[in-house]
Amino acid sequence: MSDHLLVLSLFKPDGRGAGYAVEDDPEQLNLYRATRDDLWPRALPYAEYRPATT
């Protein structure tokens, strides 16, 4: 697994997939890593997820 490339999913305005972009800029990689590291501990494990009901 590479730790120096970031693959971004691209989407069209209607939500359909539009492909991928590869990013190797160190500043962008550091930004995405910092965001991941900040959010990951806040994530709810899938087994504990319960959809909201209306």
Side-chain angles (χ1 to χ4, degrees):
M1 179 182 291
S2 176
D3 65 353
H4 64 277
L5 291 176
L6 176 66
V7 178
L8 301 167
S9 299
L10 304 176
F11 296 90
K12 296 179 181 181
D14 65 4
R16 292 183 297 151
Y20 300 94
V22 177
E23 180 64 64
D24 64 355
D25 176 55
E27 288 184 29
Q28 287 294 313
L29 290 166
N30 288 335
L31 174 64
Y32 278 88
R33 282 187 189 120
T35 301
R36 176 207 56 204
D37 293 346
D38 183 47
L39 295 175
W40 196 258
R42 303 177 195 193
L44 180 68
Y46 183 76
E48 295 175 23
Y49 172 73
R50 300 293 178 264
T53 57
T54 56

